[in-house]
Amino acid sequence: MKEGDRYLMSTYARFPLVSKQGKGATVVDVDGNRYLDFVSGIAVDSLGHCDPRLVKAIQKQAAQLLHVSNLYYNLPQIELAKFLVTHSFADKVFFCNSGAEANEAAIKLARKFAKEKRDPSRFEIIAAQGAFHGRTLATVTATGQEKYQKGFDPLLPGFRHVPYGDPEAIEKAVTPQTAAILLEPIQGEGGFGSRRKDISRKSERFATGTAFY
Ligand SMILES: Cc1ncc(COP(=O)(O)O)c(C=O)c1O
């Protein structure tokens, strides 16, 4: 942990646990302590740790072709996109590396669509107080929590925040400049379905929601 604090940038307040390996819902630290993992990579390890089929698929692909750029097509990318489209509401897929990047793309798409298909003056995004949408400059602006924004100003123009779970507040905030509304169905960082002023209860820090548009 000492070396971690020495060599890693302090972008996260980490808990004092050095994970070494995982199996299913269990994580083992470097001292051999076992934990039941309720965090699950913040809800991304949906198959549990080191699922044998997933490990095999990653090993097989890594031995075959590791990386090509988006300048070219590759078969697994097309196959996965087709699977996702045929099993969801989506028409097309944009692959990216993080939640922040997904939200960044959604903000860009919404602005581009509004400008080109509606009116060039449309660019505003309405988001909720207490929201968490990521740590890039655009998504941290959309995030309705000052603690994440401190030190990064000037933030991007064109974002408004309204109380969470208040449809009337959203209606009032909509103007002819509104391009999109960015909401988590359930606020994780802000507390479950909360309309409370106290939105930073530590016990709720690890609940995650997904942004939709
Ligand atoms: C609701 C929500 N949106 C966006 C993000 C950002 O995702 P990432 O950390 O992968 O950039 C998170 C991450 O916790 C999240 O919980």
Side-chain angles (χ1 to χ4, degrees):
M1 279 185 279
K2 233 174 156 182
E3 294 222 317
D5 290 339
R6 162 69 182 82
Y7 293 111
L8 297 169
M9 286 186 78
S10 53
T11 50
Y12 281 81
R14 290 183 167 82
F15 287 92
L17 190 163
V18 185
S19 309
K20 189 176 177 195
Q21 64 191 87
K23 186 103 194 120
T26 304
V27 166
V28 183
D29 73 8
V30 284
D31 299 319
N33 298 311
R34 296 165 69 82
Y35 301 85
L36 198 51
D37 186 357
F38 286 95
V39 180
S40 187
I42 312 199
V44 295
D45 296 329
S46 50
L47 297 178
H49 292 283
C50 304
D51 177 86
R53 289 156 302 172
L54 180 61
V55 171
K56 210 170 153 194
I58 292 171
Q59 284 172 338
K60 190 175 160 210
Q61 184 58 49
Q64 194 173 321
L65 181 66
L66 211 48
H67 175 69
V68 286
S69 87
N70 281 320
L71 286 171
Y72 311 97
Y73 295 97
N74 67 77
L75 279 179
Q77 191 181 44
I78 298 166
E79 282 162 8
L80 180 56
K82 185 177 172 187
F83 180 88
L84 292 172
V85 166
T86 51
H87 289 80
S88 73
F89 63 91
D91 300 317
K92 281 182 186 276
V93 173
F94 167 65
F95 289 120
C96 56
N97 304 300
S98 65
E101 213 182 324
N103 285 338
E104 184 87 20
I107 291 165
K108 286 168 74 182
L109 273 174
R111 283 189 166 177
K112 195 172 166 62
F113 179 85
K115 275 175 195 295
E116 289 178 5
K117 306 277 184 202
R118 297 288 186 264
D119 191 290
S121 71
R122 282 194 172 196
F123 63 94
E124 250 177 29
I125 313 281
I126 298 170
Q129 290 162 9
F132 184 79
H133 294 302
R135 295 161 194 267
T136 63
L137 202 52
T139 58
V140 91
T141 307
T143 288
Q145 301 186 62
E146 275 175 26
K147 65 179 179 183
Y148 290 107
Q149 299 168 338
K150 225 171 138 195
F152 303 131
D153 52 308
L155 300 172
L156 295 194
F159 289 81
R160 285 171 170 236
H161 290 92
V162 297
Y164 184 74
D166 187 344
E168 282 167 23
I170 296 179
E171 266 178 52
K172 272 193 205 150
V174 171
T175 73
Q177 272 72 53
T178 304
I181 299 164
L182 177 61
L183 286 178
E184 293 154 276
I186 300 170
Q187 282 197 337
E189 292 263 344
F192 293 119
S194 173
R195 293 176 78 161
R196 287 176 293 114
K197 286 208 170 75
D198 167 23
I199 54 167
S200 58
R201 264 178 40 186
K202 275 211 170 120
S203 58
E204 292 175 344
R205 258 189 74 200
F206 283 103
T208 51
T210 313
F212 72 90
Y213 316 93

